[in-house]
Amino acid sequence: MSDAGASAPGGHARDLRPAHETARDSRAETLLPGPVLGAAGAGGTAGGTASDRATGDRAAGDRAAGRDQRLVGHARAAVARHGSADPVKALLHRHRELCERAVDPLEIAAGLEAHGVTDRTAARFRHRDVFSLAEELYARVPRGDDAPPDGATAPAPGTAAPWSARAVLLALLPGALGLLTVAGLAAADGPPRAVAGAAGALGVVVALAAGAAAPGARAWTGFLLGYALAGDGLLDRIQAGGPDGAWPLDLPPLLGLALAAAPAAWCARLFAVRARRRLATSRGLADFSSGARPLLLGVVALHTAALTGLLALAGAVLGGGPPGGGALALGVLLLLTRLLTAHGFAGAAAAGLTAAGAAQALALASVLAARLPGCDPLARPVEAAVAAGGTAAVPTLACGAAALALLAYATAVLGRASAHAGTSAT
């Protein structure tokens, strides 16, 4: 495959590629060594020149040809300085650290993509795609007996190391605490029953926040879970003029979210393993993305179905109604934050949790602020939402909007091979 454009009648190189591809390749070339340009220039073109696509203006063509000649001259000088015309060797020298620490060619391919190398760029190294180029780089790195340090064995593509004891504990602990809370509520009566319910709910919130939150956002995760437990009752009391004394707690949503912690961990692991397997069988970056994105959507749909069933089960056991939209949206949001955090996008995960928590806190604060003279309009958005869908409309809108935003972001970034470089199943 060649990046050379068609030749204009005047003999000037004309690049017929779309502008966004030309810009992307130009950015990639800044990360590649000079000999690559020399190889491209030897074929009669330079891949990174500005295109003259619109009118074929002769002056623009002359400027492009001049730039071609200068790039070829610089590339030849670079080849002379390095003393080698092997572009792959020069690329290996530039990315030696990446190639030496990679446990298989897949990590090299993902790392090259993260540095802006595309399949089109790999063609200049006489390879059909980035994966083929990564295989040559991996083969060129001296590895002795090819054994990983400390006697460890690298997992084969599409497989994952067994879960650690800590990961299993964090996945099962929320559900276990939730079931113990239900047992305590059934066995106790009077004040001890209230104490058992409060202690169990607090333990579930702490366990979920510790196991599913992105670093730096555990406080907002705890707030969202606390709102799922008591927020609707508090908002109802505030709108009625309170709160006066204690307000009712909604245990079924919290129990359903606690039981869904294990399926969420399994879904995250399933995505990591299947994406790694897809990375092993793909023969191009576009091929990998076309399979990784539907896989992500399928995992999210699978978790949503399991969460819906568990919320319905919790409601039936504790005498609640059908699953609410707020708890369902929160469960999906927690899964997406887990996926993004596991693959290196903890900042986006924290932003989603912060946005949802701040929206719910603002809803409560606006209703309270509306009691001040002249501040009635502050509560009108919340009052309209409650009038349309009840108090559950507030968490449904806040968590649902954050979950949709994170899903769109995750579909974009988790469809890249670089998001799966060196990641293990969580």
Side-chain angles (χ1 to χ4, degrees):
M1 180 171 61
S2 174
D3 290 327
S7 178
H12 303 292
R14 181 178 297 173
D15 194 342
L16 298 181
R17 292 174 294 155
H20 69 279
E21 291 188 8
T22 302
R24 182 172 58 185
D25 286 347
S26 297
R27 289 193 301 271
E29 286 177 352
T30 63
L31 298 167
L32 299 178
V36 180
L37 292 175
T45 63
T49 61
S51 64
D52 177 25
R53 301 172 302 149
T55 64
D57 180 80
R58 180 173 298 274
D62 290 340
R63 289 194 297 271
R67 283 193 294 270
D68 286 350
Q69 294 172 359
R70 288 194 298 271
L71 286 173
V72 171
H74 293 326
R76 289 173 177 169
V79 170
R81 287 195 305 271
H82 288 285
S84 172
D86 183 358
V88 177
K89 182 177 181 180
L91 183 65
L92 174 62
H93 177 74
R94 177 160 299 207
H95 298 286
R96 176 168 292 276
E97 182 180 355
L98 167 66
C99 297
E100 288 179 344
R101 73 166 183 265
V103 297
D104 55 40
L106 306 180
E107 289 193 17
I108 299 178
L112 292 177
E113 187 215 26
H115 283 84
V117 180
T118 65
D119 290 340
R120 183 184 297 276
T121 309
R124 299 173 189 168
F125 294 93
R126 302 179 183 88
H127 283 274
R128 64 183 179 273
D129 52 41
V130 174
F131 291 87
S132 175
L133 175 60
E135 288 172 355
E136 180 176 349
L137 290 172
Y138 184 79
R140 288 197 181 196
V141 175
R143 299 177 183 277
D145 59 356
D146 290 335
D150 302 327
T153 301
T159 63
W163 271 351
S164 65
R166 179 179 181 275
V168 173
L169 177 63
L170 290 177
L172 297 179
L173 182 59
L177 291 176
L179 293 176
L180 287 176
T181 302
V182 171
L185 292 175
D189 195 9
R193 187 174 189 273
V195 172
L202 179 61
V204 169
V205 168
V206 172
L208 284 172
R218 290 189 173 91
W220 281 115
T221 303
F223 175 84
L224 290 170
L225 293 167
Y227 194 101
L229 174 67
D232 289 349
L234 176 60
L235 180 59
D236 184 63
R237 290 294 179 88
I238 291 176
Q239 287 188 312
D244 298 324
W247 55 89
L249 302 180
D250 195 7
L251 287 177
L254 190 62
L255 176 61
L257 291 170
L259 295 175
W266 180 80
C267 285
R269 182 179 177 84
L270 175 66
F271 175 72
V273 172
R274 291 295 179 89
R276 186 76 177 177
R277 185 177 302 167
R278 180 76 186 181
L279 190 61
T281 58
S282 297
R283 298 314 308 170
L285 300 178
D287 182 29
F288 172 76
S289 297
S290 65
R293 286 167 181 153
L295 174 63
L296 172 64
L297 297 177
V299 166
V300 173
L302 179 63
H303 175 262
T304 303
L307 177 61
T308 302
L310 291 172
L311 288 172
L313 176 63
V317 170
L318 296 178
L328 188 62
L330 176 57
V332 175
L333 177 62
L334 292 177
L335 172 68
L336 291 170
T337 59
R338 175 189 289 270
L339 289 172
L340 288 169
T341 301
H343 292 274
F345 300 96
L353 291 170
T354 302
Q360 294 185 11
L362 183 62
L364 294 173
S366 64
V367 176
L368 288 172
R371 298 178 181 180
L372 299 175
C375 296
D376 293 345
L378 294 177
R380 288 176 185 171
V382 176
E383 291 172 352
V386 171
T391 54
V394 172
T396 301
L397 292 174
C399 294
L404 286 175
L406 285 189
L407 179 60
Y409 181 78
T411 303
V413 299
L414 298 186
R416 303 172 186 167
S418 55
H420 306 273
T423 58
S424 60
T426 56

